[in-house]
Amino acid sequence: MEKTRPLLILYATETGNALDAAERLGREAERRCCPVHILSLDEFDPTSLPCEKFVIFVVSTTGQGDTPNPMKAFWTFLLQRGLSRQWLEKTRYVVFGLGDSGYQKYNFVAKKLDKRLADLGGTAIIEKGLGDDQHPSGYEGALDPWMSSLWTTLYNENSLFFPKGLDISASDIKMLHSPKVDITYLDSHEVHPQSSAEIDLKSFEKEIVRSRSMLSGKKSSDKSKPDCFLKMVKNQLISRPGCGKDVRHFEFEALSSTIKYEVGDVVEILPVQNPEVIDAFVKRCNLNPESYIIVKHRNSGDFPEDGVTNVPINLKRFIELTMDIASASPRRYFFEVMSFYASAQHEKERLEYFASPEGRDDLYQYNQKERRTVLEVLEDFPSVNMPFEWLVQLIPPLKTRAFSISSSILVHPNQVHLTVSVVSWTTPFKRKRTGLCSSWLASLDPNQRVCIPAWFHKGSLPAPEPSLPLILIGPGTGCAPFRGFVEERDLMDITRDLMDIKPTPTSPILFFFGCRNKQNDFLYKDFWALHSQKGNVLSEEKGGGFYVAFSRDQPQKVYVQHKMREQSAKVWDLLSKGAAVYVAGSSNNMPADVLAAFEEIVAEEGGVSREAAVRWLRMLEKGGKYHVEAWA
């Protein structure tokens, strides 16, 4: 290996954890005098992979074993049949995966990537590492020992990787590199700000694009530009008041461009943070809320001047649109950097301990388990005075929140409906927490004109053809996308009747819904009852049906999988007629329990072994007829 050739670290992330792990690997390598080059997989040319002698992959698994978006093109390339089994014969690689063992397909992406690289002739440096969110220390519980093994193996193979050896001196630990961003400050009189009365949708759109492009360090793109702005027109509580669950039905109309989506699609919303929290953060960090800034990344010397990221933006507005002050917990490196700026010795020592391998478990208990926010952490260490450059680099970015759409655009032109459970919980130390986006939406008054940035995209549930029989399983808010399925298919039936179109009626829908109590959280009860009436899309006369599992209304808990088994003949009949299966809801045990119920039904009703039933359902999934959309 050439002395100056950097170690390549490729990552694919959806939430930022894989990037965090990749950067941690990079910092630890650089501390041992090993140069690194860190790239997202969507920035890497896959045709050059055989030219790389050593590659570290850090990849997350999303949803039900799904590949993160930045990895999709790379993965498609690797699956080409034209690639030989010797294609990577000169490449040594290693894979670290980030997943959650609470999901059925735990770390599925890392496992299949590791296998495919081996199939193409690559040689693993060490066994793949699998980080688990369920571990008491999160994914770092697996990363730390795995990383130590990786450095030892690389050093034993070629000491030029680490020319000064594997041990890190105390001076190296106490050395802090410069932040990755430069910030230019301007006074308000140096720019020409618009008054709040002058800010229209176009200006708001430009602010979003400009601020989020500055934060990412990438040229502005259509992805950062909202598809449209929404206005809430309905905010309705659909669970019983005081029952312990707050579930809302929201309706929105487009303020800007026309809404375009299909049933099964997802809308992402950029939430608004509490203004009081933003003001407290600005005050705590001694920032001037009236100043204007331009943020540039130091490693982007050839960053294209696109006329967007070069335009100043108000500092407070930048924080509101890009930095998650109010809900996200800072990462481990945040505490390490804080320790360099703590003037009180006892705070400095505690921060250094949190950032050390010995303090990892205590940090997890203090930070992640309590879901402490950035502001809360800064307030716990009042002597820390971090430069804004570090705060911009290290504070988790404000992310959009994704929701399954619960309407059909054909039934509600230029509207989108959502079914949202307002998230709230109590931490181990009895702190009350609420979800940033869901609680903000629940607080909105439809009579006020609040502009909501929105992005529409495909989810895991493709819109079904009208002729396709459907078996739907959607407990709780998992019913959201199926409300759109049902009302769209009903509209098609009505349209056919009005136009006197004869034979091709829509195919039946068999829907299994679940909730705790009939009186408390039977969501859209009247809607399902209407469509279950004789001749309607959910009616038994049409070959479908609607069945509800009330899990807490009797001594023995009853879930959707129990109702499926009760209707096993009907389920098998529709499966035999080519039905597609759609499952939506909580990711805990439900998807696995539902799949197990299908395996039993196929085996018993089809007269085959359980193993044959498993293979049959796998073929159903490969054929695009078994879809799951689950969330934590």
Side-chain angles (χ1 to χ4, degrees):
M1 174 185 167
E2 296 173 18
K3 195 172 183 179
T4 56
R5 188 168 178 83
L7 183 62
L8 180 62
I9 302 175
L10 299 174
Y11 70 90
T13 188
E14 203 72 61
T15 63
N17 283 337
L19 169 59
D20 190 52
E23 290 184 335
R24 171 101 195 284
L25 282 160
R27 286 192 301 273
E28 294 299 327
E30 287 175 337
R31 281 175 171 164
R32 294 164 175 80
C33 300
C34 174
V36 298
H37 186 40
I38 303 174
L39 277 179
S40 175
L41 271 170
D42 57 359
E43 299 171 330
F44 177 73
D45 178 7
T47 62
S48 65
L49 190 58
C51 304
E52 300 293 339
K53 292 183 179 179
F54 297 91
V55 188
I56 299 173
F57 291 91
V58 184
V59 296
S60 63
T61 296
T62 68
Q64 297 298 304
D66 298 328
T67 303
N69 281 323
M71 183 178 165
K72 285 181 176 173
F74 176 83
W75 181 244
T76 300
F77 180 88
L78 285 192
L79 293 179
Q80 291 181 105
R81 291 184 178 179
L83 300 179
S84 73
R85 290 190 171 272
Q86 291 79 43
W87 188 61
L88 295 178
E89 61 184 356
K90 296 180 180 178
T91 300
R92 306 288 307 282
Y93 73 90
V94 69
V95 175
F96 186 82
L98 291 89
D100 186 328
S101 58
Y103 283 76
Q104 188 179 359
K105 293 187 176 179
Y106 166 59
N107 260 313
F108 185 66
V109 172
K111 293 171 183 175
K112 69 179 184 180
L113 175 62
D114 182 66
K115 183 178 184 305
R116 183 59 179 160
L117 293 170
D119 289 344
L120 293 172
T123 305
I125 302 168
I126 61 170
E127 178 68 20
K128 62 183 174 293
L130 302 176
D132 185 4
D133 275 353
Q134 300 289 332
H135 188 279
S137 298
Y139 71 82
E140 289 187 327
L143 179 61
D144 285 351
W146 180 86
M147 182 165 51
S148 177
S149 175
L150 175 61
W151 299 154
T152 301
T153 304
L154 286 174
Y155 183 71
N156 289 339
E157 289 194 11
N158 191 336
S159 60
L160 289 178
F161 270 115
F162 308 108
K164 294 186 179 180
L166 290 176
D167 295 331
I168 305 174
S169 66
S171 60
D172 287 332
I173 293 173
K174 293 178 181 178
M175 183 178 69
L176 181 67
H177 295 290
S178 299
K180 293 179 180 178
V181 299
D182 277 321
I183 299 179
T184 304
Y185 294 86
L186 299 96
D187 291 330
S188 56
H189 68 266
E190 297 179 69
V191 295
H192 302 286
Q194 287 180 291
S195 68
S196 57
E198 293 175 332
I199 294 177
D200 56 13
L201 292 180
K202 202 68 186 170
S203 301
F204 188 17
E205 180 185 281
K206 287 179 180 178
E207 280 187 331
I208 292 170
V209 172
R210 186 158 72 245
S211 60
R212 295 174 80 80
S213 297
M214 279 186 189
L215 185 73
S216 67
K218 297 175 184 176
K219 187 175 179 179
S220 61
S221 67
D222 287 340
K223 289 183 180 179
S224 54
K225 177 182 172 183
D227 291 325
C228 71
F229 289 93
L230 303 174
K231 175 191 181 299
M232 183 182 286
V233 295
K234 191 170 189 177
N235 179 348
Q236 179 186 359
L237 180 67
I238 56 174
S239 53
R240 187 174 66 82
C243 75
K245 294 185 79 174
D246 185 344
V247 184
R248 305 289 178 115
H249 172 77
F250 297 124
E251 296 183 5
F252 305 89
E253 288 181 354
L255 284 171
S256 53
S257 54
T258 307
I259 296 176
K260 294 179 182 177
Y261 66 87
E262 290 185 302
V263 292
D265 285 358
V266 170
V267 64
E268 293 191 4
I269 286 174
L270 182 66
V272 171
Q273 303 183 79
N274 187 331
E276 292 178 3
V277 173
I278 298 294
D279 289 340
F281 173 79
V282 168
K283 184 178 179 181
R284 165 64 183 83
C285 299
N286 302 311
L287 302 170
N288 178 7
E290 304 301 322
S291 65
Y292 281 72
I293 58 172
I294 297 174
V295 179
K296 292 205 171 182
H297 286 243
R298 290 182 176 173
N299 61 356
S300 301
D302 54 351
F303 185 70
E305 301 291 349
D306 61 0
V308 173
T309 53
N310 230 18
V311 178
I313 186 168
N314 174 261
L315 179 143
K316 183 178 175 182
R317 195 73 176 128
F318 178 85
I319 294 169
E320 290 171 344
L321 293 173
T322 65
M323 300 168 68
D324 195 338
I325 308 302
S327 70
S329 297
R331 303 187 190 279
R332 184 171 166 184
Y333 189 44
F334 187 82
F335 293 86
E336 183 178 330
V337 175
M338 280 178 73
S339 70
F340 287 89
Y341 294 100
S343 56
Q345 187 61 29
H346 70 284
E347 290 183 17
K348 186 179 185 69
E349 290 173 0
R350 183 161 173 77
L351 289 165
E352 287 175 343
Y353 170 70
F354 274 158
S356 70
E358 297 77 24
R360 185 188 66 207
D361 291 350
D362 285 337
L363 174 62
Y364 188 79
Q365 294 298 320
Y366 164 82
N367 188 44
Q368 289 98 315
K369 288 284 279 186
E370 282 297 297
R371 287 292 293 270
R372 273 186 168 83
T373 67
V374 167
L375 179 59
E376 288 171 337
V377 170
L378 289 169
E379 288 176 338
D380 280 352
F381 296 91
S383 80
V384 172
N385 187 19
M386 285 174 74
F388 190 51
E389 287 81 355
W390 274 115
L391 293 169
V392 170
Q393 178 182 324
L394 296 179
I395 290 176
L398 180 64
K399 294 187 177 298
T400 55
R401 269 56 169 182
F403 299 97
S404 296
I405 294 171
S406 57
S407 56
S408 162
I409 194 73
L410 301 180
V411 181
H412 307 282
N414 214 36
Q415 279 199 350
V416 60
H417 299 179
L418 301 180
T419 309
V420 177
S421 180
V422 180
V423 179
S424 63
W425 73 99
T426 304
T427 71
F429 285 97
K430 307 304 179 186
R431 285 182 172 86
K432 297 287 185 183
R433 300 293 192 201
T434 57
L436 175 63
C437 193
S438 61
S439 58
W440 170 65
L441 288 173
S443 73
L444 293 181
D445 181 351
N447 294 316
Q448 295 176 337
R449 189 180 185 271
V450 177
C451 301
I452 304 170
W455 292 257
F456 292 84
H457 63 81
K458 296 295 172 192
S460 305
L461 307 176
E465 290 294 324
S467 59
L468 184 65
L470 301 177
I471 302 173
L472 312 178
I473 299 93
T477 54
C479 71
F482 306 141
R483 179 176 178 268
F485 283 25
V486 169
E487 66 179 11
E488 182 159 298
R489 195 160 282 196
D490 178 66
L491 177 67
M492 290 176 178
D493 273 352
I494 293 171
T495 305
R496 282 190 174 88
D497 289 343
L498 290 174
M499 297 178 69
D500 199 24
I501 299 174
K502 297 249 161 121
T504 44
T506 56
S507 290
I509 298 178
L510 189 59
F511 181 26
F512 296 93
F513 174 71
C515 61
R516 290 189 174 187
N517 311 101
K518 186 174 183 178
Q519 299 302 321
N520 290 344
D521 54 345
F522 190 175
L523 309 180
Y524 302 117
K525 176 173 62 175
D526 294 339
F527 177 86
W528 308 123
L530 172 66
H531 291 288
S532 300
Q533 290 175 6
K534 186 174 181 180
N536 290 343
V537 291
L538 289 175
S539 66
E540 295 188 7
E541 289 83 359
K542 282 204 70 168
F546 176 67
Y547 302 97
V548 191
F550 300 112
S551 63
R552 305 294 197 275
D553 276 351
Q554 59 284 310
Q556 188 74 25
K557 290 180 181 177
V558 176
Y559 296 113
V560 284
Q561 61 267 26
H562 300 124
K563 291 295 179 181
M564 289 169 60
R565 291 186 181 101
E566 287 177 11
Q567 302 297 327
S568 60
K570 250 186 183 176
V571 170
W572 175 243
D573 180 58
L574 279 189
L575 285 174
S576 303
K577 292 174 180 175
V581 174
Y582 286 75
V583 183
S586 169
S587 62
N588 291 339
N589 299 316
M590 186 274 294
D593 290 341
V594 166
L595 181 60
F598 272 117
E599 289 169 0
E600 281 184 34
I601 291 167
V602 171
E604 291 173 13
E605 298 291 338
V608 297
S609 67
R610 187 66 177 258
E611 293 74 20
V614 169
R615 289 195 299 272
W616 192 88
L617 286 163
R618 280 184 188 154
M619 292 300 294
L620 196 70
E621 184 180 2
K622 285 184 178 179
K625 284 193 171 183
Y626 195 105
H627 309 282
V628 179
E629 185 161 271
W631 49 85

